[in-house]
Each structure stands twice: as C-alpha cells, then as structure tokens.
Amino acid sequence: MKTLKERFKQQFLIGAAVNGNIMKENQDLLKMHYNSITAENEMKFEEICPEPGLYNFELPDQFLAFAEEHGIGMRGHTLVWHNQTPAWFFMDDEGNDVSREELLKRLHSHINTVVKRYRGRVYAWDVVNEAVSDHGEEVYRPSKWTEIIGEDFLDYAFQYAHEADPNALLFYNDYNETNPVKREKIYRLVKGMLARNVPIHGIGLQAHWSLYHPAYEEIEEALKRYSELGLTLHITEMDVSVYAFDDKRTDLVKPTEEMLHLQAERYEHFFKLFEAYAENISAVTFWGVTDNYTWLNNFPVKGRKNWPFLFDANAVPKPAFYRVIK
Ligand code: GLA
C-alpha cells in the first residue's frame, strides 16, 4: 500500500496531531504514514505550566523522542493564545492585571523556556494562535493580550521566539481562515508584521472544514492570497466534519454511505488544491489520526460522534484515503 508521506514527499510533509492515547494506539499508522506530528494539547500553556514557574515537559518530551527515533518532525503548538492560558499568568499577587512591562517580561520568559528547550528539534512553532476577530471590522480579538500589552503583542512574541531558536519556522495560525473578510484581516496583519521586519515565516491554516463548507473557490482564493505574502503555508489542523453547520443530529452511530462518499470527494478536491499550491504549502497536518478519537466528538453538539479523518475507528483506510492517495 502506498503511504501518505510517500505519496506527497515531493510536495509537503504529512502531519498528525497526537496525544498520549494516540501515541499508544496508533504508533504503526504514525510511523507508516506521517513525517510530522503536533501535540494536540500537551504544549499549550496550561498543560506545560499549570502553576507559576512549574514547568512539566514530560509528555512533549516523550512525543519528541518518538518522533526523533522514527525520523518524524515535530511542530510546536502553541505559544500565545487567548485560550488554555491560566488566569494567574496575567495577574499580580492581589489579583489585578499586571502591567504591560510585566506581561512582556513573563511572555519573554515563557517563550524562552519552551522554545529554547526544543531548539533545533521542533522545526516550526505556532507562535500566535487565533488573534484575529471573527466579527465585522474588528481586526484583533479582544483578549488579555490586547488589553494589557496592546496590538503589538504579536510582534514581541515572534521576536522572542526567533531569539530563542533562530532556525525554527514561526507561524501565525488561525481558523475560519478562508472566510474572505477574515482572510483579508489575516493577510493585512501578516503584511504589517513583514513591513516591520517581524520574524514571521508562515501562515497556519487550521482547516477545520466539513462536507459542505468552505467552498473550493473560497479555499483557493485564500491559498492564492496568502501565497502572495511570499511566506510558507502550513495546513495545521485539518479535519472534515460530516455534519453541516446547522445539523444537530445525535442519532448516528456510524457515518452514512453518503457521508463517506461526499467526504472522499471533498478530501480528493482539497488535496488537489494543496497540490496546485504545493510550491507555497510545506506541510499538511490532520488534527488527529483515526475516527476513534477527534475533538469533534461531543463538540459543538453534545452526545454526537463525528468521523472526520482518512482512517476509520479501527484504523482501516476509508474511501477518502484511497482518493487522496490516488
Ligand atoms: C483550535 C486550537 C487547537 C485545538 C482546536 C480544538 O483550533 O488551535 O489547539 O484546541 O482548537 O481541538
């Protein structure tokens, strides 16, 4: 059987998000099909630093050891985010917001600790995740970062990361990345950073897509537009939900034949687009490995199972796999 990483070796890396369980259950698939991994949650702030000054790198260290043993690269995810960052990080002993200077100092120390630890070993970092607003004209998502530091928190984060590992590729990563309005905000944000000589090397397109959304034209427009910036693009968190946005059904215990068929068609088309932009795309990462586990189980609809990947819950290739690998 052809493998994913073989099939695309001239074009881009093929990645998977992993966690402790996936590392146990899907070692063989990981070794066979993927040449990149990302920790699903285990490098996020609240996971590696749950309490002030208390860093725990056990899981990411294990993931990286596995990756290095098998010639697999590792992306780092993620240094700065409005989510999964503990509240104490932004507060002083009295529970008030720290000053801009203090938060920059803490940010520097965090990035320095994490990025230096994996210097030369983690090949790319999602430095800032999801800083752009989904709403209308608003460019920056309001957060503790914008509130305390201001809009230039991104510039600092990238500078600190670059200083800690000058060879790591540094990414801005976001979702709804093909939406034309948000796309232009991301484009302008990154263009501005480049104009200010901020060390940013890539845009991460999360690609949490579905059978019905986004339209191929919208994806192509986004790939084209982002490519104009002359940076590399990573597809960072790809999954293809079998449900339409407003479909709230919870009764399915397996995907319907129609879902599997449509999903195969979608995946084939997505990868055709990726191949058309292969000069600009250097990695395509799925946000999981098999349908046994996905963050989309129970989200956004409680009690609902989803089947977004190329391998079914028993790690058997689905119709989508064969269409992608063709
Ligand atoms: C965002 C984050 C990921 C992950 C997903 C949901 O896309 O970037 O780290 O939390 O949400 O799993």
Side-chain angles (χ1 to χ4, degrees), residues 15-16 18 23 30 35-39 63-64 66-67 72-75:
V18 300
M23 290 297 285
L30 287 169
N35 41 23
S36 180
I37 58 170
T38 308
F63 298 173
L64 184 58
F66 168 85
I72 295 171
M74 186 161 179
R75 298 186 86 257

Side-chain angles (χ1 to χ4, degrees), residues 77-78 80-83 128-133 140-141 143 153 172-175 182 206 208 237:
H77 175 81
T78 179
V80 177
W81 195 18
H82 63 280
N83 237 331
V128 178
N129 203 28
E130 306 179 347
V132 169
S133 168
Y140 295 89
R141 168 197 302 276
S143 70
F153 76 94
Y172 174 73
N173 191 47
D174 214 331
Y175 68 93
K182 192 164 174 185
Q206 292 190 2
H208 293 296
E237 306 184 14

